[in-house]
């Protein structure tokens, strides 16, 4: 458009009350709030918005029946002549077929719904935006079934409409929905690919997007439901950036498959991100081996992030999952490789279900408060595996967690509470960190913790109720050497095989009780062990007995280890001051 106004146009009018039908079904776009029950779209003849999520949210996660359907009535539609610039001034359905070299402008009334149906259409504009929605209530951009369609803008242009910079291949000042089962490729050569200054909905679509800057941008929200999207962006792949309303500026992805390559962030929301049963494969800022200066986050939210089912793979330079609020994972599979944090929250990280695998990271999970209440985690970090910062609380109440750390295993600048679950820690190997590290207290009342690491900063729990905790030197053991606690009857109470070399063991389990004697065995074969060498039953054959522990109280520590542990957490001194017994001697609580 090169600083020019659209002067050539075809005025296309249809009755504003025109009813759109597809396959004989009446369509609607009303927004009555439904009962949110499932991640599916059920098309019917009703005028209510469809249900799309089981997740309770402060955000509007619904989409309409018409958003989801992509249907249209060809008999009542108008086919646009592919010559020159076109201006649409009335509600209706318009079919694009063939090659268009001029900008298609929608300048319809504020209550008008306009549907642009792409039927083997190419809209390629060399000097401006390809499609510009200046005004309407809502525009549907539909790729007709069985068709292949492309949209692209010029590589360099400037067009300003009032105070609005029209800077995308598809630019809409109204709500915009991209749908239909045909294929659609959108290229933003100058800056962005698809932009809505209101809500952007992508549903039941097969969409490929490439942009010099942002691929998909919806100011008020981006909702991607039951769609397949491949996006390559010179900045963020998917972004919502309303910073004036806390109920807007969010991203919602459900039942969709996204493949995202972003020079900056893969998904970036001013407020929240909600993911439900989606599949996302995202690379940000070149991935975890990159040396870029970009943000490089997988998920970046100004408020909270919720993940409820699905499969997510992130290769990121920055944090893979980053929230200025909280992060909650209730289900799904996350696989993360990052040069920074795997999951980071400025408030609370909660893992309540699903499987989180961090193959490489600086810190695998970090938040002011961290709660591991369920699910399975495999966490590898060069620094702390799980870190509760700023005087916060780290709670393990359930789940199965395997940690391999270069720094601390479980680290709290405040308090650690273990009430359940299984936590298996390999590392650290250096004496400047500890498998357990805390500044206030560390209590255990249930669950299993087996930590095999170095002796230099080793700490035990400050208190144990209902079960015992043992902190013992076990000699120099190589990576892959099993460790087992065996009771007086020869039964395995707890076992684990470390992924790294170790010289110290911290173990607590319900089978460790005051008044009993246990042997610590390294290098044996444990009959009931899983792939990590973990068991709480069975027997051990072979191996070397490295210690015998008489539990005269709920806390035991090998001579010298308790004082070494105090260096990292002074809150332990009062509990452990008398626990100086050697391999054969008891500690005293």
């Amino acid at each position: 458009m090169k600083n020019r106004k659209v002067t050539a146009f075809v005025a296309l009018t249809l009755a504003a009350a025109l009813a759109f039908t597809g396959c004989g079904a009446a369509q609607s776009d009303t927004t009555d709030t439904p009962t949110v029950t499932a991640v599916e779209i059920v098309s019917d003849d009703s005028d209510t918005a469809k249900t799309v999520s089981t997740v309770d949210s402060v955000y509007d996660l619904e989409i309409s029946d018409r958003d989801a359907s992509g249907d249209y009535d060809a008999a009542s539609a108008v086919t646009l002549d592919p010559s020159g610039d076109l201006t649409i001034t009335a509600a209706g359905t318009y079919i694009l077929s063939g090659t268009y070299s001029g900008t298609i402008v929608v300048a319809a009334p504020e209550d008008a719904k306009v549907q642009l149906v792409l039927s083997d259409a190419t809209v390629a504009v060399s000097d401006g935006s390809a499609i510009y929605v200046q005004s309407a209530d809502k525009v549907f951009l539909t790729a007709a079934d069985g068709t292949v369609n492309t949209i692209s803008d010029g590589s360099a242009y400037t067009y300003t409409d009032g105070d609005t910079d029209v800077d995308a291949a598809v630019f809409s000042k109204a709500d915009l929905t991209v749908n239909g089962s045909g294929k659609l490729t959108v290229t933003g050569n100058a800056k962005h690919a698809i932009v809505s200054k209101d809500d952007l909905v992508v549903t039941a679509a097969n969409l490929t997007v490439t942009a010099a800057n942002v691929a998909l941008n919806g100011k008020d929200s981006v909702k991607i439901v039951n769609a397949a999207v491949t996006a390559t962006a010179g900045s963020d792949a998917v972004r919502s950036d309303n910073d004036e309303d806390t109920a807007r500026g969010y991203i919602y992805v459900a039942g969709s498959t996204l493949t995202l390559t972003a020079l900056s962030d893969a998904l970036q929301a001013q407020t929240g991100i909600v993911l439900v049963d989606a599949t996302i494969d995202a690379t940000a800022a070149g991935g975890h081996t990159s040396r870029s200066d970009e943000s490089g986050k997988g998920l970046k939210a100004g408020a909270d992030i919720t993940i409820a089912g699905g499969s997510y793979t992130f290769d990121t330079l920055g944090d893979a999952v980053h929230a200025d609020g909280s992060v909650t994972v209730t289900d799904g599979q996350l696989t993360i490789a990052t040069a920074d944090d795997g999951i980071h929250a400025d408030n609370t990280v909660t893992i309540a279900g699903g499987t989180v695998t961090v193959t490489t990271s600086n810190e695998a999970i970090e938040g002011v408060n961290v709660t591991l209440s369920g699910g399975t985690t495999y966490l590898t970090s060069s620094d702390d595996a799980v870190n509760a910062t700023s005087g916060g609380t780290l709670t393990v109440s359930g789940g199965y967690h395997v940690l391999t750390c270069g720094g601390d295993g479980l680290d709290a600048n405040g308090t650690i509470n273990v009430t359940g679950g299984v936590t298996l820690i390999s590392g650290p190997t250096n004496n400047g960190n500890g498998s357990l590290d805390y500044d206030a207290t560390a209590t255990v009342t249930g669950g299993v913790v087996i930590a095999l690491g170095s002796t230099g900063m080793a700490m035990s729990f400050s208190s144990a109720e209902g079960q015992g905790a043992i902190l013992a030197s076990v000699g120099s053991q190589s990576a892959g050497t099993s460790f087992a606690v065996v009771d007086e009857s020869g039964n395995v109470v707890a076992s684990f095989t470390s992924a790294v070399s170790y010289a110290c063991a911290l173990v607590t389990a319900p089978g460790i009780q005051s008044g009993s004697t246990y042997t610590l065995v390294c290098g044996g074969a444990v009959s009931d062990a899983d792939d990590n060498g973990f068991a709480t039953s069975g027997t051990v054959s072979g191996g070397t007995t490295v210690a015998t522990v008489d539990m005269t109280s709920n806390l035991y520590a090998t001579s010298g280890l308790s004082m070494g542990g105090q260096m990292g957490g002074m809150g332990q001194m009062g509990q452990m001051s008398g626990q100086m017994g050697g391999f054969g001697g008891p500690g005293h609580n």
Side-chain angles (χ1 to χ4, degrees):
M1 281 179 272
K2 292 182 178 176
N3 289 311
R4 60 179 170 79
K5 295 182 179 179
V6 176
T7 56
F9 67 92
V10 178
L12 303 167
T13 60
L14 290 177
L18 180 65
F20 301 100
T21 59
C23 302
Q27 298 183 5
S28 64
D29 189 53
T30 58
T31 55
D32 294 340
T33 303
T35 301
V36 179
T37 56
V39 184
E40 60 181 341
I41 307 300
V42 182
S43 182
D44 57 26
D45 292 335
S46 71
D47 290 332
T48 58
K50 300 298 102 179
T51 59
V52 293
S53 177
T54 56
V55 176
D56 292 331
S57 177
V58 298
Y59 308 114
D60 173 14
L61 304 184
E62 66 188 32
I63 65 171
S64 73
D65 181 47
R66 188 170 177 186
D67 285 329
S69 71
D71 292 340
Y72 66 98
D73 181 13
S76 63
V78 173
T79 299
L80 300 181
D81 182 3
S83 59
D85 295 338
L86 302 173
T87 298
I88 297 170
T89 61
T93 298
Y94 302 89
I95 298 176
L96 287 74
S97 182
T99 301
Y100 298 77
S101 59
T103 300
I104 297 170
V105 178
V106 177
E110 296 294 333
D111 61 350
K113 290 179 173 60
V114 175
Q115 185 171 19
L116 303 178
V117 179
L118 304 173
S119 181
D120 290 320
T122 297
V123 185
V125 180
S126 62
D127 59 352
S129 294
I131 296 175
Y132 172 37
V133 179
Q134 187 179 59
S135 61
D137 175 50
K138 191 172 190 176
V139 171
F140 303 86
L141 186 61
T142 302
D145 184 31
T147 67
V148 177
N149 309 276
T150 62
I151 298 173
S152 61
D153 64 356
S155 59
Y157 61 91
T158 302
Y159 180 68
T160 301
D161 185 355
D163 59 356
T164 300
D165 291 330
V166 181
D167 55 4
V170 178
F171 189 97
S172 178
K173 294 173 71 173
D175 292 336
L176 176 65
T177 292
V178 179
N179 62 12
S181 57
K183 294 182 178 179
L184 175 59
T185 299
V186 180
T187 303
N189 292 303
K191 196 170 184 182
H192 311 310
I194 300 177
V195 170
S196 170
K197 303 303 287 185
D198 286 326
D199 295 319
L200 174 60
V201 174
V202 179
T203 178
N206 187 341
L207 179 63
T208 300
V209 186
T210 302
N213 202 301
V214 178
L216 299 175
N217 194 110
K219 180 176 181 179
D220 289 349
S221 71
V222 178
K223 304 178 190 180
I224 304 175
V225 178
N226 294 348
V229 177
T230 299
T232 303
S235 180
D236 301 331
V238 182
R239 184 175 72 185
S240 186
D241 55 359
N242 188 321
D243 60 1
E244 299 173 349
D245 186 342
T246 58
R248 299 181 178 179
Y250 62 92
I251 296 173
Y252 171 58
V253 184
S256 297
T257 298
L258 277 60
T259 303
L260 308 176
T261 303
L263 184 60
S264 188
D265 303 322
L267 286 88
Q268 197 265 101
Q270 185 67 34
T271 57
I273 296 176
V274 180
L275 307 179
V276 181
D277 293 334
T279 298
I280 297 177
D281 188 339
T283 301
H288 71 282
T289 61
S290 172
R291 294 297 180 264
S292 171
D293 293 330
E294 297 291 336
S295 171
K297 294 177 174 61
L299 306 177
K300 181 181 178 181
D304 297 340
I305 295 174
T306 300
I307 299 174
S311 177
Y312 308 92
T313 301
F314 298 108
D315 186 359
T316 64
L317 177 64
D319 298 343
V321 179
H322 179 101
D324 290 351
S326 295
V327 175
T328 301
V329 179
T330 61
D331 197 3
Q333 296 185 352
L334 282 77
T335 302
I336 292 169
T338 177
D340 207 338
D341 296 343
I343 299 176
H344 173 96
D346 288 355
N347 193 350
T348 299
V349 176
T350 300
I351 309 297
T355 300
V356 177
T357 302
V358 180
T359 60
T360 182
S361 67
N362 178 39
E363 295 193 340
I365 296 177
E366 181 181 57
V368 172
N369 300 294
V370 178
T371 298
L372 307 178
S373 61
T376 301
T377 65
Y378 298 94
L379 309 178
T380 301
S381 64
S382 59
D383 197 356
D384 302 339
V386 183
N387 184 15
T389 66
S390 304
T393 299
L394 195 167
T395 301
V396 182
S397 59
Y400 183 93
H401 311 289
V402 182
L403 285 53
T404 302
C405 55
D408 302 324
L410 298 179
D411 180 14
N413 293 352
T415 299
I416 295 176
N417 295 319
V418 178
T419 64
V422 174
T423 304
L424 309 173
I425 304 173
S426 296
T429 57
N430 67 81
N431 283 321
N433 293 282
S435 299
L436 194 72
D437 183 24
Y438 55 93
D439 288 349
T441 61
T443 64
V444 57
T445 59
V448 176
V449 176
I450 308 173
L452 305 177
S454 59
T455 60
M457 298 294 287
M459 299 178 71
S460 184
F461 291 90
S462 59
S463 67
E465 297 181 10
Q467 63 189 60
I470 297 170
L471 178 66
S473 296
V474 295
S476 179
Q477 306 295 333
S478 61
T481 301
S482 67
F483 167 82
V485 178
V486 181
D487 67 15
E488 296 167 276
S489 300
N491 299 312
V492 171
V493 174
S495 71
F496 171 48
T497 299
S498 175
V500 303
S501 61
Y502 63 98
C504 178
L506 169 65
V507 56
T508 180
I512 300 175
Q513 295 292 321
S514 177
S516 297
T517 299
Y518 302 90
T519 56
L520 309 184
V521 179
C522 290
V526 179
S527 62
D528 291 351
D530 66 10
D531 290 342
N532 299 301
F534 172 69
T536 55
S537 63
T539 58
V540 60
S541 58
T544 301
T545 298
V546 296
T548 300
V549 175
D550 294 324
M551 295 294 293
T552 59
S553 70
N554 280 342
L555 293 174
Y556 174 95
T558 295
S559 177
L561 286 185
S562 58
M563 289 304 295
Q566 307 322 313
M567 301 294 292
M570 300 304 292
Q572 193 176 2
M573 292 186 67
Q575 296 288 343
M576 301 293 292
S577 59
Q579 296 182 27
M580 306 301 287
F583 276 120
H588 302 283
N589 189 15

